[in-house]
Amino acid sequence: MPANPGILNAKSGKGEFEDLFNASMKEQDFKVGDVVTGTVVEVQSDYVLVDINYKSEGLIAINEFRIVDGVREVKAGDKVEVLIDRIENENGMIVLSKDKADMLRAWTDISKAAENEEVIEGTVVAKVKGGLSVDIGVKAFLPGSQIDLRPVRNMDVYLGKKFKFKVIKFNKKRGNIVLSRRALLEEERDSLRSQTLDTMAEGSIVTGVVKNITDYGAFIDLGGMDGLLHITDMSWGRVKHPSEMLNVGDEIQVKVLKYDKEKERVSLGMKQLTTDPWEAVKATYPPGTKLKGKVVSLAEYGAFVELGEGIEGLIHVSEMSWTKRVKHPSQIVTVDQEVEVVVLEVDTENRRISLGMKQLQANPWVELKESYAPGTIIEGEVKSVTDFGIFIGIEEGIDGLVHISDFSWTKRVNHPSEMFTKGTKVRAVVLGVDIENERFSLGIKQLESDPWSNIENKYAIGTQHDVKVTKTADFGAFVELESDIEGLIHISELTTDKIGAVEEFIKPGQSIKAEVISIDKDARKIGLSAKLVKLRESKADVDDYVKKATATSKSTFGDLFADQLKNVKTDGKQ
């Protein structure tokens, strides 16, 4: 028997424990780089102690554990996967890493996702050059071109948000992972587009989201494809800019107006979801209706007034005032001004309503017609001189026109400025007032009697007169019978001798005796013959000649005078 069995038993027990421990270590076979599961034993200020069934506990830096709501997410008893970084440090403790275990597991998951084209989730953590940094267990790069379907200008809106991605590039050795969100969005869009195209039909009502706004309309995402909602199809009323009615991100209902399958273009309408207000215009705004409206815009020719939603009318400048010459509507109204108007005419086919403002006031032209009867003599100032006459001020805002043809009974006036200048005082006779066309007609020659009214008695056919040549022409000589009364001696009636030109026989300023052979009161022309005077003096038989000359004067002779006189200027005289 042994001398001291207790000591033997103790020694025997110690050796057995060491054998068992060493056996367990061999079973564990811990190696650097292995990932094992451990239990958190204690949480210190800088480190976390983790038991992995090794002869000593392992250390993990406290900053490898996440902070949630300001509290470090680790406590005693937690199970945690760790990577063996070193078997023992200088203190004989095993060094562990949770980050490296997470990264190894993440790389494995990412590698599998890349190979199988699986979708992974990640959180955008920062902006980097050319794109965004995404946490998917490890840091990955999301290029700017792969963030969305359209180029992204403001990347800040993505920070802190979680999205799904596809791995489009993976290199474990270089630690390079490139992600794409756009690839998933394109797949989703293509799927939605296929469904949308199957249900798309002209006239159908669909729901979409405002994707983009331009000056001419808005693009609506219908699900995989975009449609254009033009500004003119947003409202029956006037829309200055689409942003007045829509915001990016708004979900709206629209009607499909046109669908081009080949080009995959969709035209949309929003106003078409409501009744066209013009359908009731004729009943709502019959001519003569008085109402109020708001001036929405001005044009050179008038002002557009909003009468109701989608209904506008035009006040033409000519309908703004009875007396003012309105050159531009801004002289009378301004944009956003509320005005009273009366409906003049409704054209539903062309969607036009004619409005008036002056019709709400008494028509001064009616009073003018009563106050200024034809024959009334007025005196006023020449307000303006035009090519066709002069305007004389009658009352405030009312001018009367003296047409050039009413200047003189006898003078041929080439331009009104020959006789009148602006600002001079003149007398005139009222010829008439045209209420409908707002015209006040005056005459100056009517202040005197028409000298041609008694011309047949003064210068009867067959009477002889001493006349003075005022002008010569190829076809004859013009002569003055009295002030402003002229006649013509045709070249064939100048002399009994044969001549080649008028001035071979007589020149302007010379006098000659001639006999009246024709009178045309309507054309205000008198024909004379010096030849006939000579024949009478020689006591020749002139009866046949007179008959022939008189007959000629009524047809050929008169026509000849008329045609040739058209082209002759007689120094202001007719």
Side-chain angles (χ1 to χ4, degrees):
M1 289 182 68
N4 193 340
I7 292 173
L8 288 172
N9 289 338
K11 286 181 179 179
S12 174
K14 183 180 178 182
E16 186 178 341
F17 176 77
E18 287 180 354
D19 291 341
L20 288 171
F21 179 78
N22 290 330
S24 69
M25 288 299 99
K26 286 180 181 179
E27 287 177 9
Q28 289 287 82
D29 194 20
F30 289 112
K31 298 188 297 293
V32 172
D34 284 351
V35 176
V36 297
T37 301
T39 303
V40 176
V41 176
E42 185 181 348
V43 179
Q44 298 178 359
S45 59
D46 296 326
Y47 295 96
V48 175
L49 295 177
V50 178
D51 180 12
I52 61 169
N53 288 327
Y54 188 61
K55 62 182 180 180
S56 65
E57 294 165 342
L59 290 175
I60 301 177
I62 190 73
N63 58 14
E64 292 192 20
F65 292 87
R66 292 171 58 198
I67 296 176
V68 179
D69 296 331
V71 179
R72 189 70 67 178
E73 197 178 45
V74 60
K75 62 182 183 298
D78 286 350
K79 297 290 183 183
V80 59
E81 279 192 341
V82 294
L83 180 139
I84 298 173
D85 207 10
R86 280 186 289 164
I87 295 298
E88 289 184 4
N89 64 5
E90 61 271 13
N91 297 318
M93 298 185 73
I94 191 166
V95 179
L96 305 174
S97 173
K98 178 180 177 299
D99 277 352
K100 290 181 178 179
D102 290 344
M103 187 176 293
L104 190 62
R105 184 176 64 253
W107 278 108
T108 303
D109 293 342
I110 294 163
S111 177
K112 182 181 175 184
E115 289 174 8
N116 300 326
E117 295 188 354
E118 294 176 357
V119 176
I120 60 173
E121 275 194 353
T123 302
V124 178
V125 292
K127 283 197 301 183
V128 294
K129 185 178 179 180
L132 298 170
S133 178
V134 182
D135 183 1
I136 57 172
V138 293
K139 295 289 172 58
F141 177 58
L142 176 63
S145 62
Q146 298 297 320
I147 297 173
D148 211 325
L149 292 170
R150 295 179 181 272
V152 176
R153 293 182 180 177
N154 182 17
M155 296 185 186
D156 291 335
V157 297
Y158 294 90
L159 295 177
K161 293 183 180 178
K162 186 177 284 188
F163 298 102
K164 290 182 178 181
F165 305 94
K166 256 192 172 182
V167 179
I168 58 174
K169 192 174 181 181
F170 177 74
N171 190 319
K172 186 176 180 181
K173 287 183 180 179
R174 295 184 180 179
N176 185 17
I177 303 172
V178 181
L179 305 175
S180 173
R181 177 171 173 261
R182 178 178 177 173
L184 293 176
L185 295 174
E186 285 176 345
E187 289 177 6
E188 183 182 349
R189 182 185 63 184
D190 291 342
S191 175
L192 287 170
R193 174 178 288 192
S194 179
Q195 296 174 29
T196 301
L197 291 174
D198 290 340
T199 58
M200 190 65 61
E202 292 182 7
S204 60
I205 296 172
V206 295
T207 300
V209 176
V210 179
K211 192 172 185 179
N212 188 29
I213 292 177
T214 68
D215 291 338
Y216 56 85
F219 287 94
I220 313 300
D221 185 352
L222 302 174
M225 71 180 300
D226 295 345
L228 173 63
L229 174 59
H230 197 271
I231 188 171
T232 56
D233 289 310
M234 289 182 177
S235 170
W236 293 110
R238 184 185 291 263
V239 181
K240 292 180 181 177
H241 194 273
S243 58
E244 294 177 12
M245 300 192 66
L246 301 171
N247 296 303
V248 173
D250 287 352
E251 186 175 275
I252 60 171
Q253 275 198 322
V254 286
K255 189 173 186 177
V256 178
L257 304 180
K258 191 175 181 181
Y259 171 46
D260 188 333
K261 282 188 178 181
E262 291 183 5
K263 296 180 180 178
E264 291 189 2
R265 288 181 182 172
V266 184
S267 297
L268 305 171
M270 198 160 69
K271 71 181 184 183
Q272 288 80 1
L273 296 175
T274 59
T275 304
D276 183 354
W278 277 89
E279 292 179 5
V281 160
K282 232 170 188 178
T284 310
Y285 304 104
T289 304
K290 296 177 184 178
L291 63 160
K292 291 182 179 180
K294 185 177 77 171
V295 177
V296 290
S297 70
L298 302 180
E300 291 288 334
Y301 49 85
F304 288 93
V305 178
E306 184 179 54
L307 304 177
E309 187 177 356
I311 303 297
E312 290 181 10
L314 172 67
I315 312 172
H316 194 270
V317 287
S318 62
E319 304 297 343
M320 290 184 170
S321 172
W322 289 113
T323 56
K324 289 182 181 178
R325 291 182 182 177
V326 184
K327 293 182 179 179
H328 194 276
S330 58
Q331 296 175 239
I332 305 294
V333 296
T334 58
V335 173
D336 292 331
Q337 179 183 343
E338 188 177 70
V339 293
E340 283 190 284
V341 293
V342 61
V343 177
L344 303 179
E345 187 180 355
V346 177
D347 182 353
T348 53
E349 186 176 343
N350 294 304
R351 293 175 176 260
R352 292 175 183 168
I353 298 178
S354 298
L355 304 172
M357 290 176 67
K358 68 183 184 182
Q359 289 78 4
L360 296 171
Q361 303 168 354
N363 187 349
W365 288 90
V366 175
E367 296 178 5
L368 282 171
K369 189 163 187 174
E370 294 173 355
S371 302
Y372 296 91
T376 303
I377 297 175
I378 61 98
E379 185 175 357
E381 184 180 299
V382 176
K383 295 292 184 181
S384 63
V385 179
T386 69
D387 291 340
F388 53 85
I390 60 171
F391 284 94
I392 300 173
I394 307 299
E395 292 184 3
E396 186 178 356
I398 302 291
D399 294 342
L401 171 66
V402 183
H403 193 269
I404 191 170
S405 62
D406 289 311
F407 283 2
S408 171
W409 290 111
T410 57
K411 288 181 181 178
R412 182 186 295 272
V413 183
N414 295 313
H415 195 277
S417 59
E418 294 174 10
M419 295 182 66
F420 302 100
T421 56
K422 185 178 177 180
T424 56
K425 290 274 187 179
V426 293
R427 293 173 73 246
V429 176
V430 176
L431 302 181
V433 176
D434 185 343
I435 297 173
E436 187 176 344
N437 295 304
E438 297 180 7
R439 289 177 184 167
F440 200 124
S441 299
L442 300 171
I444 292 176
K445 71 182 184 182
Q446 288 82 358
L447 290 169
E448 300 173 353
S449 60
D450 182 0
W452 281 82
S453 60
N454 194 38
I455 203 76
E456 288 173 329
N457 295 327
K458 263 183 116 175
Y459 301 99
I461 291 176
T463 58
Q464 294 183 357
H465 306 273
D466 289 319
V467 293
K468 185 180 180 180
V469 176
T470 58
K471 184 179 179 70
T472 60
D474 292 341
F475 53 85
F478 288 93
V479 296
E480 184 180 60
L481 293 164
E482 64 177 64
S483 178
D484 297 333
I485 300 293
E486 279 187 343
L488 175 68
I489 304 175
H490 192 265
I491 188 171
S492 61
E493 297 296 325
L494 280 172
T495 177
T496 54
D497 299 328
K498 188 173 182 180
I499 58 174
V502 173
E503 292 202 2
E504 289 179 13
F505 178 74
I506 198 165
K507 291 180 174 56
Q510 293 180 336
S511 296
I512 192 171
K513 180 172 278 191
E515 183 173 320
V516 177
I517 59 174
S518 69
I519 296 174
D520 186 343
K521 287 178 66 176
D522 293 333
R524 294 178 181 263
K525 293 178 176 63
I526 297 176
L528 299 105
S529 175
K531 180 179 180 180
L532 187 56
V533 172
K534 291 295 181 184
L535 289 172
R536 289 188 189 278
E537 287 176 353
S538 64
K539 297 183 180 180
D541 185 2
V542 295
D543 290 342
D544 290 338
Y545 182 83
V546 170
K547 287 179 182 179
K548 188 176 179 181
T550 305
T552 302
S553 70
K554 291 179 180 177
S555 54
T556 311
F557 192 55
D559 293 339
L560 176 64
F561 283 4
D563 291 339
Q564 293 172 326
L565 281 170
K566 286 179 184 177
N567 301 316
V568 176
K569 293 183 180 178
T570 58
D571 297 328
K573 297 182 180 181
Q574 185 173 2

